[in-house]
Amino acid sequence: MPPKTTDLSTPEAIQAFYLRLLALPEKSRARGKRRRGYQFQNLIAAALALEKLEPRTSYKTVKGAEEIDGSFFPDGTVFLIEAKWHAEPLPASTLYMFKGKIDGKLVGTLGVFISMSGYSKAAADALTFGKNINLILFDRPDMDAAILGGEGFRAVLKRKLRDAAEAGIVQTPSSNDVGRVMPTVETARYDASTDRVLDVVAAPRSSPDLVIVCEGDTDRTILSMLSERILADNKSPPRWIKIITAMGKRPVARVTRTFQYHYPENVSALLIVDGDGDIEGSLEMLESEVAVKNWRASIPDPGIEAWFADFDFRPMRMRRQEKSGVGVMSEFQKAVKKLDIEKLLKSDQSFAAFHSAVLGTEPDTEKKHSRSRRRLASP
């Protein structure tokens, strides 16, 4: 059972309660999960109140036509909140329903959707394509940063609002680091608007050696495992590789619009998108929206699972069928260890582009954007 709600008037109490909610086993009964959902809403309200963001808890509109999980009122703008804690990534249809509630309110009202299970790869892309943006997406890494990381909700929201306004990105993507050099000296930046110290940066290495942008969290995990093996196999000098999830195909190039605020102008970028049977069209899409100079493209076709064509498992099918995703990652971990990298380098240019980018070397081909099409093994 989830914990009973306690006093949440301090950051320490909020952190402790959040960790207890995270500890609820996924195999818990539906009643326990529903209770956790309600407690999560209370936790969000407490965190907002602590930052003086004037939260309001769950309420229904006139005649009970709509139920809103909550709202808050920073700096003169009303934000409606929808908070979900499900087992599966949320589809675009769930976001559209909440967007409809926002569209029916006063002009200028914005929305914050919080999903602890994340979103489908196409959700954020579908939400922004050809539409006015009035909804910002939060996921678990964002909540971790706000509550456990000490950034605070206001600081995370501020970053997301800026990216939405300047780059049209409704979900500032999460990222992880591979092979980051441990700093001996750290510097930080003070943000006067939030009264917090932000962005701790390693003084000797102020930016990554390589920034990889991919479509989804599963892709990011696989790329991280592959990067670690490539660096280890080649006994590479320490390299800092940051892998960013864009949550969709089109946002991969769009994410690069935010690089100017985080990385130097000459940062190396590798954009990895699924070919989906149209490699040329995928490359043209990247070229039309990319906003950095020093970039390469890797376009496995139909997707990253093509690199594992010699294995018996069918990653895409398994990804849809297995709810927990644990079995999928276990299979990939075994495959990454057994993968014949030398063979793959010779047969797949998209993998060769990825391999050379990880090591910081020039690809064998003279083409700037490496592309390939590799047929999956028959079932």
Side-chain angles (χ1 to χ4, degrees):
M1 290 292 291
K4 295 181 179 179
T5 303
T6 57
D7 175 46
L8 299 175
S9 59
T10 66
E12 294 75 17
I14 289 175
Q15 289 180 0
F17 193 71
Y18 180 60
L19 289 172
R20 290 162 64 190
L21 292 179
L22 290 172
L24 182 70
E26 286 303 319
K27 294 183 180 180
S28 299
R29 295 181 179 179
R31 180 181 177 184
K33 291 183 177 181
R34 285 196 299 270
R35 183 180 175 189
R36 179 180 63 180
Y38 294 130
Q39 292 180 328
F40 184 47
Q41 293 179 20
N42 293 333
L43 177 78
I44 294 170
L48 295 173
L50 201 62
E51 297 188 52
K52 296 179 173 55
L53 297 179
E54 301 182 44
R56 181 180 180 184
T57 54
S58 178
Y59 66 94
K60 291 185 178 181
T61 57
V62 179
K63 298 182 180 180
E66 294 177 341
E67 183 171 352
I68 307 295
D69 287 347
S71 67
F72 61 105
F73 191 55
D75 306 322
T77 299
V78 175
F79 286 80
L80 305 184
I81 301 175
E82 184 86 0
K84 301 290 186 184
W85 197 320
H86 292 182
E88 293 290 309
L90 297 183
S93 57
T94 305
L95 302 181
Y96 284 139
M97 291 178 63
F98 183 51
K99 190 177 188 304
K101 297 179 182 179
I102 303 168
D103 291 341
K105 304 299 182 294
L106 179 70
V107 174
T109 301
L110 300 177
V112 169
F113 199 112
I114 304 172
S115 169
M116 292 296 285
S117 60
Y119 307 89
S120 66
K121 286 176 64 174
D125 200 7
L127 194 64
T128 58
F129 190 71
K131 301 178 179 67
N132 293 326
I133 298 174
N134 58 0
L135 177 58
I136 302 296
L137 305 183
F138 277 61
D139 56 14
R140 176 175 170 177
D142 297 319
M143 296 306 296
D144 286 352
I147 297 176
L148 301 180
E151 287 191 44
F153 199 90
R154 183 192 290 271
V156 176
L157 177 64
K158 177 183 176 182
R159 182 173 65 247
K160 287 175 168 289
L161 286 173
R162 185 161 192 169
D163 286 342
E166 296 176 342
I169 301 172
V170 296
Q171 185 188 23
T172 300
S174 55
S175 64
N176 69 336
D177 296 320
V178 177
R180 178 169 182 171
V181 178
M182 295 302 294
T184 55
V185 179
E186 292 185 339
T187 60
R189 175 175 59 82
Y190 174 73
D191 189 336
S193 66
T194 61
D195 195 30
R196 291 179 180 273
V197 175
L198 306 174
D199 298 341
V200 175
V201 178
R205 304 289 295 278
S206 60
S207 66
D209 295 298
L210 173 68
V211 179
I212 299 175
V213 187
C214 61
E215 294 186 31
D217 288 336
T218 301
D219 295 338
R220 182 181 65 178
T221 302
I222 296 169
L223 294 171
S224 178
M225 291 188 292
L226 285 170
S227 297
E228 290 173 351
R229 181 185 163 185
I230 291 170
L231 292 173
D233 287 354
N234 289 270
K235 298 180 180 178
S236 171
R239 280 176 60 76
W240 177 8
I241 299 173
K242 182 174 286 290
I243 306 177
I244 298 176
T245 299
M247 300 311 297
K249 185 172 181 176
R250 186 170 292 274
V252 167
R254 196 176 299 154
V255 164
T256 61
R257 300 177 191 173
T258 68
F259 279 22
Q260 61 181 308
Y261 309 117
H262 306 292
Y263 311 118
E265 184 178 359
N266 63 342
V267 67
S268 295
L270 176 67
L271 310 185
I272 302 180
V273 296
D274 295 345
D276 295 325
D278 184 10
I279 297 174
E280 294 296 331
S282 298
L283 179 59
E284 290 175 2
M285 180 269 295
L286 292 177
E287 291 175 330
S288 67
E289 297 202 45
V290 70
V292 291
K293 298 178 180 179
N294 188 19
W295 70 284
R296 307 180 193 178
S298 172
I299 309 178
D301 191 54
I304 289 179
E305 71 273 11
W307 296 349
F308 299 90
D310 291 338
F311 294 85
D312 293 333
F313 63 88
R314 311 252 47 90
M316 292 299 288
R317 177 166 59 92
M318 290 169 60
R319 198 182 307 174
R320 291 194 297 268
Q321 291 178 344
E322 193 158 336
K323 293 184 178 181
S324 66
V326 175
V328 178
M329 285 300 102
S330 176
E331 293 293 328
F332 271 123
Q333 286 176 337
K334 296 176 183 177
V336 167
K337 293 178 180 178
K338 298 178 180 179
L339 189 66
D340 189 339
I341 288 183
E342 292 302 319
K343 175 183 175 182
L344 194 56
L345 282 171
K346 296 176 182 178
S347 61
D348 194 305
Q349 289 185 11
S350 68
F351 182 80
F354 166 69
H355 187 275
S356 62
V358 167
L359 292 176
T361 60
E362 290 297 323
D364 292 336
T365 174
E366 294 182 357
K367 296 180 180 179
K368 181 180 180 182
H369 310 303
S370 297
R371 296 153 283 169
S372 71
R373 182 183 182 92
R374 184 172 182 189
R375 189 179 301 276
L376 285 170
S378 301

